[in-house]
Amino acid sequence: MIEIISKGLSKVFGTKSERDIKEILPLVEQAKEEYKKLPGISNDQLRAKTDELRSKINNDLAEIDKQIDELQSKLDNQTDMGIHEKEEIFNSIDQLEDDRFKELEKILAKILPEAFAIVRETARRFKENESLEVSASMFDKNLAQSKDYVDLQGEKAIWHNNWEAAGNRITWDMVHYDVQLIGGIVLHQGKAAEMATGEGKTLVATLPAFLNALAGRGVHIVTVNNYLATRDSEWMGPIFEFHGLRVDCIDKYEPHSPERQQAYKSDITYGTNNEFGFDYLRDNMARSPEELVQRRLHYAMVDEVDSVLIDDARTPLIISGPVPEGEDKHEFHELKPRVSKLHDEQRKIVQNYLAEAKKLFGEGNEKEAGLPLFRAYRGMPKYKPLIKFLSETGVRQLLQKTENFYLQDNAKQMPEADEPLFFTIDE
């Protein structure tokens, strides 16, 4: 009945996804209108538009930034300040930072169409031209010393449309489709955007990354492995760098190295979820501010978000300081045989219960087979013979039915099921 009502409401009001898309489409149209204004301007004028957006953000936040700077200066210069007065100032700064973030969100929402249009036009120019000529900035001159896709000719910088990404030479050949503009808006709004393989997730990420990098607070793009982090930073990097944004990848450098600190200071920082996580843990163990590598967190996008936040999140990131050799080592060797014996005794119990469950199930006595099957599962859920038996028709359903029975009434009867076991494993 509920499903029928739900389908009926969806037909009348549309699904949640459809309603979200309907709200986003006006922004897409605005971005397309801004995009139509750009083909006629020069490369220098296109780059100048990035500086205009940065200036707009800074000007609109100037008053709040001034108040924060004044309070910070007061903290730095008054050495005889009492602890309570310091705490009040810190609380005031935190409140102003919160207010600043809310104002920044409003500003970014206003400039989103123009920022997206700039990235899209940049991608088009790189696709349709083997090289782009601009007036050389200091950023161009510094980049030309280490990147082969930027050449200097007098006071001009020549940006080529081919470069190396993860050891492969690529020629830029992509321009954002309308659906990718939608994906970019969804990501900027902090939502999950589902896209099939080949629909250009990496390209979509350039839109909100560019927009949020304009704020000067840093953008993190989190990927699932080292290869993707390195490849994506080198593949998409020139699109950002053309507009004076610094791009780097933390996985290229050793932990706590000066190079990794600089990578975190980039406008857009790529890296793997584990490295971002471990750097956060290491920073919490730092003894002085100089040892910190991460700055205040601002905006992040997570590639393969289901894998990173669900699958990988089952394995905790654990870090510790050095442990001196001593009694603990002897204690481990003393306890290990006892734990092994306990494990072996549990395995015997599980084997017996599994054999009993198989026998009863084979005789068609499913009602009696449920409890020994459940006990085997509670004792060793990863026991291979058990996993194999669960793949047989009807067995997993029997396990689920039995588990539901013992979980009812706040698992009041669960001790009865667990009583013969030495320990239970709850996944």
Side-chain angles (χ1 to χ4, degrees):
M1 185 64 181
I2 293 175
E3 186 178 352
I4 295 171
I5 294 172
S6 177
K7 286 182 179 178
L9 291 173
S10 295
K11 287 181 180 179
V12 177
F13 299 106
T15 64
K16 175 68 167 62
S17 176
E18 289 169 346
R19 294 195 297 274
D20 287 345
I21 297 296
K22 190 174 181 180
E23 291 178 8
I24 287 171
L25 287 177
L27 279 174
V28 174
E29 292 303 316
Q30 291 176 39
K32 289 165 69 176
E33 288 301 313
E34 293 291 338
Y35 177 66
K36 292 176 183 176
K37 302 175 186 178
L38 300 178
I41 67 175
S42 68
N43 293 327
D44 283 338
Q45 289 171 325
L46 179 63
R47 300 214 301 181
K49 285 194 169 292
T50 299
D51 294 330
E52 290 171 14
L53 293 182
R54 278 172 154 170
S55 297
K56 177 174 177 55
I57 293 172
N58 293 333
N59 292 337
D60 288 354
L61 296 173
E63 183 57 36
I64 293 180
D65 286 339
K66 181 182 177 184
Q67 294 177 49
I68 294 173
D69 289 342
E70 288 174 352
L71 289 172
Q72 190 62 54
S73 178
K74 190 175 180 181
L75 279 173
D76 295 338
N77 296 326
Q78 294 187 18
T79 56
D80 58 344
M81 190 181 299
I83 186 69
H84 295 296
E85 188 179 357
K86 279 186 177 181
E87 188 174 359
E88 286 181 8
I89 293 177
F90 279 125
N91 290 336
S92 297
I93 291 175
D94 288 341
Q95 184 58 56
L96 284 169
E97 285 285 357
D98 290 341
D99 295 341
R100 187 188 191 280
F101 179 76
K102 292 173 184 175
E103 286 302 311
L104 175 61
E105 285 298 296
K106 295 176 185 176
I107 298 166
L108 294 180
K110 289 179 183 176
I111 68 172
L112 182 148
E114 191 172 357
F116 278 29
I118 290 171
V119 179
R120 195 181 195 186
E121 174 63 13
T122 305
R124 184 193 67 80
R125 294 191 185 196
F126 271 105
K127 179 183 178 182
E128 296 179 0
N129 301 277
E130 291 185 1
S131 61
L132 301 176
E133 182 181 292
V134 294
S135 299
S137 65
M138 186 55 66
F139 184 83
D140 295 327
K141 293 175 181 177
N142 291 333
L143 205 62
Q145 296 178 20
S146 58
K147 307 293 185 181
D148 65 359
Y149 48 84
V150 183
D151 290 330
L152 297 178
Q153 294 181 5
E155 289 304 308
K156 296 292 183 181
I158 311 300
W159 285 73
H160 303 287
N161 75 339
N162 61 89
W163 49 80
E164 277 201 8
N168 297 314
R169 198 79 189 173
I170 65 105
T171 298
W172 185 265
D173 62 351
M174 297 183 290
V175 180
H176 307 76
Y177 292 107
D178 290 358
V179 69
Q180 291 171 320
L181 297 179
I182 293 173
I185 295 168
V186 169
L187 290 174
H188 171 67
Q189 293 176 344
K191 300 173 183 175
E194 183 179 5
M195 302 186 73
T197 301
E199 288 188 345
K201 290 183 293 182
T202 308
L203 183 63
V204 168
T206 58
L207 299 164
F210 175 80
L211 172 64
N212 285 273
L214 296 175
R217 292 289 182 100
V219 168
H220 291 167
I221 300 181
V222 187
T223 60
V224 291
N225 61 57
N226 177 274
Y227 170 77
L228 288 177
T230 305
R231 184 204 68 178
D232 292 355
S233 66
E234 294 172 350
W235 189 11
M236 302 293 130
I239 300 298
F240 302 121
E241 291 168 337
F242 184 75
H243 291 278
L245 298 175
R246 291 173 299 146
V247 180
D248 212 333
C249 175
I250 59 172
D251 289 64
K252 294 180 179 179
Y253 312 112
E254 291 296 318
H256 274 310
S257 64
E259 292 81 8
R260 185 168 282 202
Q261 280 185 317
Q262 287 303 311
Y264 274 111
K265 291 177 182 177
S266 297
D267 296 293
I268 298 170
T269 305
Y270 287 80
T272 53
N273 53 312
N274 280 347
E275 286 304 311
F276 280 121
F278 277 122
D279 280 339
Y280 178 82
L281 294 178
R282 292 185 192 104
D283 278 0
N284 276 274
M285 296 172 66
R287 292 164 294 183
S288 67
E290 290 73 25
E291 293 181 4
L292 300 176
V293 294
Q294 292 185 344
R295 54 175 165 169
R296 184 167 181 159
L297 305 179
H298 170 234
Y299 176 82
M301 283 180 287
V302 184
D303 189 18
E304 304 288 355
V305 67
D306 53 342
S307 174
V308 172
L309 296 187
I310 299 174
D311 300 334
D312 289 359
R314 289 169 65 101
T315 305
L317 300 180
I318 299 172
I319 194 168
S320 63
V323 178
E325 298 248 345
E327 293 182 4
D328 288 349
K329 188 173 181 181
H330 298 298
E331 187 177 357
F332 170 78
H333 289 297
E334 182 183 339
L335 294 176
K336 183 180 177 181
R338 301 182 190 180
V339 174
S340 296
K341 184 178 179 182
L342 179 65
H343 182 271
D344 291 340
E345 292 300 320
Q346 176 94 327
R347 179 188 291 270
K348 292 176 184 176
I349 293 175
V350 169
Q351 286 173 340
N352 291 335
Y353 278 124
L354 180 58
E356 182 182 353
K358 285 181 176 181
K359 180 176 179 294
L360 292 168
F361 190 81
E363 295 171 351
N365 193 350
E366 293 187 9
K367 185 176 180 181
E368 297 297 327
L371 179 56
L373 176 65
F374 184 51
R375 282 173 170 166
Y377 179 76
R378 291 280 290 172
M380 284 188 176
K382 295 296 185 185
Y383 185 46
K384 288 184 179 180
L386 171 65
I387 294 172
K388 185 178 179 181
F389 183 52
L390 287 174
S391 66
E392 295 184 14
T393 305
V395 178
R396 187 168 288 278
Q397 289 83 347
L398 174 61
L399 174 64
Q400 187 65 58
K401 184 178 177 181
T402 308
E403 183 177 33
N404 291 340
F405 173 78
Y406 283 98
L407 284 174
Q408 66 185 358
D409 297 331
N410 294 319
K412 187 169 65 176
Q413 297 185 71
M414 191 65 81
E416 178 188 335
D418 292 342
E419 194 273 332
L421 302 171
F422 289 110
F423 57 85
T424 60
I425 299 175
D426 186 351
E427 293 192 301

